Amino acid sequence: MSTRPPTLRMKRRYLLILIEPAGIIIDQKGLYYAVSEAATSLWGDAVAAIIIPAVVASDGQYVIIRCQRGTEQDLSVALSTITTCCDTHITLRMIAASGTIDTLREKIRRIKKPGGESLSLRDCMFDKKLFKIDQCVGQKIDVIEKGFKNTNRLFLTTEDLEEL
Amino acid sequence: MKITDACVYPYPIGDSSHRRMALEAKALGFERLVAADTPSGEFYGIEIFAGILLRDSPLRDITGRIKRVRNNGVVVSVHAGDNGFNRSVINIKGVHILRGLHSADKSAFDHVAAKMAADNRVAIDLDLSQLLFGRGYSRQRAIQRYRDILVLERRYEFPLTLSSHARSILDLRPVREITGLCSLIGMDSSDVETAFSGVDITTAPPNSAVKVIG
């Protein structure tokens, strides 16, 4: 089957999405199912069939999600209802929308910052409990409680640790 | 008029410190948070109001608790009950927000309660977590209930507040996405803007009936 001429092709838009919390690796297929379920649950099969959401690329924390042109707003509302993926509590933050994947890849290269700072993998105390610093970007510090069970993830700032 | 999330739960109820919540809220476009069990203050340019939520308490206890925190700058919210309870709560001086109407009885908030809320400047809260976390029937019921509240709001003009009930920074949503989410219940961007400033209206000192000139 030959490809259609550009004027007859479906017009698409691509959304650049940041997955939070930092350091979580999400399977692309699992994310596709989560996006599809969220769109269908919120808008129903008829509108989801018009949006045609698809996860087309991922680069660490960033993913690119495709939709039909004109449905970006509907898709972004549906994406805001995603709270878990593969049994992990996550949130999707929309950063940009574009008509080409290349533009978004360029944007990822521009905004991507080097990984965790030197504080990473250090231990710290918070609320009389021992935590391991998992991520540290700017003033934001994500810590994981040390131990075999109840190893909760907490979201703190540098000031929270200095206060103690 | 500041863009306010009318209810968040920082650590120890949630998993994020109030400072981290403020940092994230600033990035998402908010200017103020009402945080449960947190001292008031300003962090990273975000104003945090202390808030208390009273639920499953008899009216006498609610009145006593409000007397203790009155004039402390605390935002007092009461969880809705049946119609009689809601009307009584709205009449108590010092109550700022009535919450949880999505889970209350269908007749819990009628036109009489709506008029009383407008007269006493008690805000009605729209809990966005029902739209974000709910699926199927529970979300449909919340949308239906919020649409019904909006019908009364357009008629009687009582204040509304929007709250995420976020227990984590992962539960906070950007202002733009909340505007999109509120379109599900028939609110346009100007309605959302007004609802975001509902805490300003409900916590402002009342206008005196008589104005002395000169």
Side-chain angles (χ1 to χ4, degrees), chain A residues 133 135-136 139-143 154-156 158 161, chain B residues 20:
Chain A
I133 295 176
Q135 293 286 327
C136 179
Q139 291 167 310
K140 301 175 185 177
I141 296 181
D142 300 355
V143 297
L154 293 187
F155 301 98
L156 310 172
T158 46
L161 297 181
Chain B
R20 182 66 182 271

Side-chain angles (χ1 to χ4, degrees), chain B residues 3-204:
Chain B
I3 299 174
T4 308
D5 187 333
C7 189
V8 296
Y9 299 100
Y11 186 83
I13 302 170
D15 66 6
S16 311
S17 68
H18 58 279
R19 287 192 180 90
R20 182 66 182 271
M21 282 254 186
L23 201 59
E24 292 289 337
K26 190 179 182 186
L28 299 176
F30 287 94
E31 293 166 317
R32 184 192 288 147
L33 298 174
V34 177
D37 294 335
T38 304
S40 301
E42 191 168 331
F43 305 93
Y44 304 107
I46 293 282
E47 202 177 349
I48 292 188
F49 276 3
I52 57 166
L53 173 59
L54 306 171
R55 60 184 303 164
D56 302 331
S57 307
L59 279 171
R60 200 172 47 189
D61 292 358
I62 291 173
T63 314
R65 186 83 194 272
I66 289 169
K67 272 183 190 161
R68 285 201 293 276
V69 298
R70 195 179 286 168
N71 305 325
N72 287 356
V74 175
V75 178
V76 179
S77 311
V78 180
H79 199 269
D82 59 16
N83 188 284
F85 176 83
N86 293 344
R87 286 187 192 182
S88 307
V89 162
I90 288 168
N91 270 327
I92 298 173
K93 200 177 172 190
V95 172
H96 296 115
I97 303 173
L98 185 66
R99 294 186 189 279
L101 278 172
H102 61 272
S103 59
D105 194 43
K106 197 177 178 183
S107 60
F109 190 72
D110 57 6
H111 61 288
V112 180
K115 175 127 182 37
M116 288 162 73
D119 292 343
N120 296 321
R121 292 194 308 171
V122 174
I124 303 302
D125 183 60
L126 303 182
D127 179 357
L128 298 171
S129 68
Q130 297 300 313
L131 306 180
L132 292 170
F133 290 89
R135 291 285 189 272
Y137 177 70
S138 66
R139 183 154 63 188
Q140 290 165 23
R141 189 179 151 181
I143 290 172
Q144 181 192 352
R145 195 56 59 83
Y146 292 161
R147 280 181 176 272
D148 187 45
I149 290 171
L150 284 172
V151 170
L152 293 171
E153 188 266 334
R154 279 174 192 139
R155 176 77 174 79
Y156 295 101
E157 296 181 346
F158 52 81
L160 288 175
T161 57
L162 295 173
S163 53
S164 64
H165 286 254
R167 286 167 190 268
S168 167
I169 55 161
L170 304 177
D171 299 337
L172 291 170
R173 293 290 178 272
V175 171
R176 189 187 55 227
E177 282 179 14
I178 289 176
T179 307
L181 211 57
C182 287
S183 68
L184 297 173
I185 54 173
M187 293 174 83
D188 59 22
S189 55
S190 64
D191 292 335
V192 176
E193 206 175 302
T194 312
F196 270 133
S197 55
V199 174
D200 282 310
I201 298 166
T202 193
T203 56

Side-chain angles (χ1 to χ4, degrees), chain A residues 94-108:
Chain A
M94 190 177 132
I95 295 174
S98 174
T100 62
I101 298 177
D102 272 352
T103 313
L104 296 182
R105 287 215 166 108
E106 180 59 34
K107 195 163 180 73
I108 293 173

Side-chain angles (χ1 to χ4, degrees), chain A residues 52-161:
Chain A
I52 324 171
V55 180
V56 291
S58 69
D59 183 357
Q61 265 188 278
Y62 297 91
V63 290
I64 297 172
I65 298 179
R66 186 183 68 200
C67 66
Q68 201 171 332
R69 194 171 70 180
T71 62
E72 303 93 318
Q73 183 65 34
D74 293 346
L75 181 60
S76 79
V77 174
L79 292 179
S80 71
T81 66
I82 295 175
T83 52
T84 53
C85 179
C86 308
D87 297 326
T88 311
H89 192 187
I90 60 159
T91 188
L92 305 180
R93 307 263 189 240
M94 190 177 132
I95 295 174
S98 174
T100 62
I101 298 177
D102 272 352
T103 313
L104 296 182
R105 287 215 166 108
E106 180 59 34
K107 195 163 180 73
I108 293 173
R109 275 194 290 276
R110 267 190 280 128
I111 60 180
K112 216 170 180 179
K113 290 174 183 167
E117 291 170 13
S118 55
L119 272 173
S120 229
L121 302 175
R122 255 179 50 188
D123 290 346
C124 64
M125 288 288 284
F126 179 72
D127 200 18
K128 296 174 188 168
K129 289 177 195 161
L130 192 60
F131 290 89
K132 189 185 84 174
I133 295 176
D134 184 47
Q135 293 286 327
C136 179
V137 181
Q139 291 167 310
K140 301 175 185 177
I141 296 181
D142 300 355
V143 297
I144 298 175
E145 193 173 347
K146 277 195 140 185
F148 294 107
K149 57 180 184 178
N150 300 329
T151 52
N152 299 320
R153 179 184 281 263
L154 293 187
F155 301 98
L156 310 172
T157 64
T158 46
E159 272 186 58
D160 289 318
L161 297 181

